[in-house]
Amino acid sequence: MKKVLLSLFVAIAVAIPCTAATTYNAASKVQEVGEKLLTKSGIPITNVKFTVVSDTPNNSEFISTKVVNVSSAELAFAGNDNETAAVVAGELGHIIFGHASKNKVMNMLQSTTNTNITTSATVQTFASNYQTTKEDKEADLVAVNLMVAAGYNPLAAIVVYTKQTGTYWDTIVGRPANAEKALNIYDYIEYVYPDKLKVGYGCNEYKNFLTYAQSATETRNANKKLVKKHDKTYKKAQKTIADKIAKFKIRGGISGWDAVYGLLNTAQ
């Protein structure tokens, strides 16, 4: 009987989900974590305020306000500082890439052109979703670099994504929530920071994702063309991310798109 109880205890102890501890308050840590992400990466911005918002974060005015808005919905999945860092670093990733300013520049240029081209609502929705996913992936890879520099475990970014509720289709095909974004992070870490994979992340969400990732990796490795494409993609990503962060530092916390938007705004 004792052996049975001991086995049951061990099984429960091993199957620990990465759910947020009731004593952990992610919202109260965003300022501390955010400052560490910036300073450890050598980004020369002072007096930055990190705030938690209930709606979709809008950081389009960061250059003038020095405020980084972080989603309370995303923070709800953060159960420790590593996972809080993943959420905050993701927002910094969007700022470093200048996604909000890029969209403002595109809107500004569209408004000044005379065109009657129209597209269906379906096409517009598809294009918008594609652009959002692309920008999230770019921001996620910046987040990995910032987290590593600050001493956080970058695998936490995968855990925060896969903790979320997946679609019915995810369940049917047997993949974790946000599998595409999570796998993008995993592949980047594998290529740029392989030692971080050896550290691992001790919870069920990551272990379940790892099963999915290893299957995807095996499928890719069986195809030389896919391997070549994979290596080319992440070699380019490594250079691009390092370049974006370096230039953001040099400009004193301004992305290239921020600079372009400022020039166009001044010229009006």
Side-chain angles (χ1 to χ4, degrees):
M1 183 65 179
K2 288 183 179 180
K3 289 183 178 181
V4 173
L5 291 174
L6 179 60
S7 298
L8 181 60
F9 174 79
V10 171
I12 294 172
V14 170
I16 301 175
C18 292
T19 52
T22 56
T23 57
Y24 183 80
N25 186 340
S28 69
K29 304 299 289 289
V30 294
Q31 184 68 34
E32 174 190 337
V33 169
E35 289 177 359
K36 186 175 180 180
L37 288 167
L38 291 175
T39 56
K40 293 296 184 180
S41 291
I43 297 175
I45 312 177
T46 57
N47 300 319
V48 177
K49 183 179 180 182
F50 293 83
T51 64
V52 180
V53 296
S54 57
D55 51 359
T56 302
N58 180 356
N59 289 306
S60 60
E61 303 301 324
F62 170 76
I63 297 304
S64 58
T65 64
K66 293 295 184 291
V67 173
V68 178
N69 294 303
V70 182
S71 168
S72 60
E74 292 287 325
L75 287 175
F77 297 101
N80 54 52
D81 283 0
N82 287 304
E83 293 163 23
T84 298
V87 177
V88 177
E91 292 304 327
L92 289 174
H94 283 293
I95 290 170
I96 290 171
F97 252 90
H99 288 145
S101 290
K102 177 183 177 181
N103 292 332
K104 289 195 290 187
V105 168
M106 294 298 105
N107 290 335
M108 185 182 293
L109 293 176
Q110 279 186 335
S111 66
T112 59
T113 58
N114 294 320
T115 176
N116 293 318
I117 297 175
T118 59
T119 55
S120 70
T122 301
V123 172
Q124 288 177 335
T125 299
F126 178 81
S128 177
N129 290 342
Y130 172 81
Q131 183 65 18
T132 298
T133 299
K134 180 177 181 295
E135 291 179 353
D136 284 346
K137 286 182 174 181
E138 291 172 340
D140 289 339
L141 302 193
V142 173
V144 168
N145 281 38
L146 298 181
M147 292 176 72
V148 170
Y152 294 113
N153 188 337
L155 297 176
I158 292 172
V159 173
V160 169
Y161 267 139
T162 56
K163 277 185 185 181
Q164 299 174 31
T165 304
T167 64
Y168 285 118
W169 184 245
D170 289 333
T171 303
I172 291 172
V173 299
R175 68 187 178 198
N178 296 301
E180 183 180 349
K181 294 177 182 178
L183 189 60
N184 177 56
I185 296 170
Y186 179 86
D187 284 343
Y188 181 74
I189 294 173
E190 182 182 42
Y191 188 85
V192 183
Y193 302 107
D195 288 346
K196 299 301 177 182
L197 290 187
K198 296 177 183 178
V199 174
Y201 206 95
C203 66
N204 278 346
E205 286 87 351
Y206 181 69
K207 291 175 183 176
N208 291 338
F209 166 79
L210 200 57
T211 300
Y212 167 81
Q214 288 173 341
S215 175
T217 300
E218 288 173 4
T219 300
R220 181 183 68 230
N221 289 344
N223 186 317
K224 291 182 179 180
K225 288 184 178 180
L226 291 179
V227 171
K228 185 176 180 179
K229 180 181 179 181
H230 169 271
D231 291 346
K232 183 179 179 180
T233 296
Y234 289 99
K235 181 179 181 179
K236 181 180 178 181
Q238 181 181 20
K239 184 179 183 302
T240 299
I241 299 305
D243 183 63
K244 290 288 183 184
I245 295 174
K247 289 182 177 178
F248 190 76
K249 292 179 186 179
I250 292 169
R251 298 189 191 99
I254 299 174
S255 73
W257 285 108
D258 292 326
V260 171
Y261 179 72
L263 288 172
L264 290 176
N265 212 26
T266 302
Q268 283 189 330

